[in-house]
Amino acid sequence: GSCHSDEQIFRKKRPRRAVSLWWIKRNSCRGAYEKHCRVSRDEMVSLLQKTWGLFHPSLADTGPTILKEARVMGVPCVVSHDCGAKQYVIQGKSGFVTEPNNIEQFEQAVLELVASKERNIAMGAFDQERCREALSDRVMVDKITHIYNNLLSE
């Protein structure tokens, strides 16, 4: 999910309850979050442009595209050590990497990430250019082409 909060929360000094959580899944949803489940590519970009952070506690996602997209767009992230693509999150600088299944540690990381607008913006910008270069279309096409050529040569 991602924690979305607009700038008005700070300008109007609204209480923290003005922050809303969006749980987004690709294929299915259950319960009260169903209306927030499926979003188009354009809607996802719009959400990432407004979000304060991406929170991805996955234990099995080996290369979450959303994490890569978030870092390229300057969004700080909180992930677990078992999450793939955690190399794009620098501990305490562009987000936090927590122990798997440690809910308290994950919760503390989320609260720290959204505690200060200025720090949040700085964390999002930290290492963003390296992420943009590492995940550029040129680099990604070269990597995929290399993998594909290796498969064909076996």
Side-chain angles (χ1 to χ4, degrees), residues 40-75:
S40 70
R41 171 62 39 209
D42 290 340
E43 290 170 314
M44 181 57 71
V45 169
S46 177
L47 285 171
L48 284 173
Q49 289 171 336
K50 296 185 270 190
T51 194
W52 276 57
L54 177 77
F55 311 121
H56 195 61
S58 176
L59 301 177
D61 199 344
T62 59
T65 301
I66 189 65
L67 174 71
K68 297 170 190 174
E69 291 169 337
R71 288 303 304 131
V72 165
M73 292 182 71
V75 175

Side-chain angles (χ1 to χ4, degrees), residues 75-86:
V75 175
C77 301
V78 178
V79 299
S80 73
H81 278 289
D82 286 354
C83 179
K86 65 184 174 285

Side-chain angles (χ1 to χ4, degrees), residues 3 10 16 52-55 76-78 90-98 103-124:
C3 181
F10 274 89
R16 286 189 189 265
W52 276 57
L54 177 77
F55 311 121
C77 301
V78 178
I90 308 300
Q91 183 68 12
K93 296 189 183 287
S94 64
F96 299 96
V97 181
T98 64
I103 295 168
E104 293 80 20
Q105 187 183 40
F106 197 86
E107 179 182 305
Q108 185 58 42
V110 169
L111 291 174
E112 192 170 336
L113 191 119
V114 299
S116 161
K117 178 182 177 182
E118 292 76 20
R119 180 160 187 236
N120 182 275
I121 291 169
M123 289 179 84

